[in-house]
Amino acid sequence: MIWIRSQRKNNLVSVDNFHVDFNEDNYMFVITCEKWDSEYCLGEYSAEEKALHVLDMIQERIVAKQEHFLHSQYQEPIKVKKGEFVFQMPQENEV
């Protein structure tokens, strides 16, 4: 879970999952989340690569939060390997 404030600053949502959609109305890639049977637009980007980069930034923040949690639990620095808390789905050709 992570708190995200929307790009337009009109939503502050506790988010458990995200997805990138293509909005045909304005030809923008949109990062959205579903919460309480509602869908929230968190940001709009002109290219899929930009939207995926923002998802990478969110993933890095989640990992950093987990590192901080582990450090506070065990009272010693703990370095988390990249991807340890977020599983990256393999490409078709990698399975």
Side-chain angles (χ1 to χ4, degrees):
M1 187 276 297
I2 186 171
W3 284 94
I4 300 284
R5 185 150 186 188
S6 65
Q7 195 177 50
R8 292 178 47 207
K9 299 183 179 13
N10 62 335
N11 285 312
L12 181 63
V13 185
S14 168
V15 183
D16 294 320
N17 59 61
F18 306 86
H19 57 275
V20 175
D21 288 325
F22 181 69
N23 182 340
E24 294 180 14
D25 294 336
N26 59 4
Y27 301 101
M28 299 290 277
F29 286 89
V30 181
I31 296 178
T32 59
C33 71
E34 294 178 24
K35 195 74 169 175
W36 306 295
D37 295 326
S38 297
E39 189 168 271
Y40 296 90
C41 173
L42 299 176
E44 296 180 333
Y45 301 91
S46 59
E48 183 178 23
E49 295 80 24
K50 289 183 179 187
L52 293 177
H53 178 69
V54 172
L55 282 182
D56 289 341
M57 293 168 63
I58 293 168
Q59 177 178 328
E60 289 170 8
R61 180 67 62 92
I62 291 168
V63 169
K65 180 180 172 186
Q66 292 296 329
E67 287 177 343
H68 176 74
F69 171 77
L70 289 173
H71 177 71
S72 65
Q73 291 292 330
Y74 297 105
Q75 301 299 315
E76 60 186 59
I78 295 176
K79 187 64 180 161
V80 177
K81 295 178 185 172
K82 184 176 182 174
E84 194 165 324
F85 285 103
V86 180
F87 179 77
Q88 173 69 48
M89 294 297 290
Q91 297 296 321
E92 172 71 20
N93 62 356
E94 297 174 326
V95 184

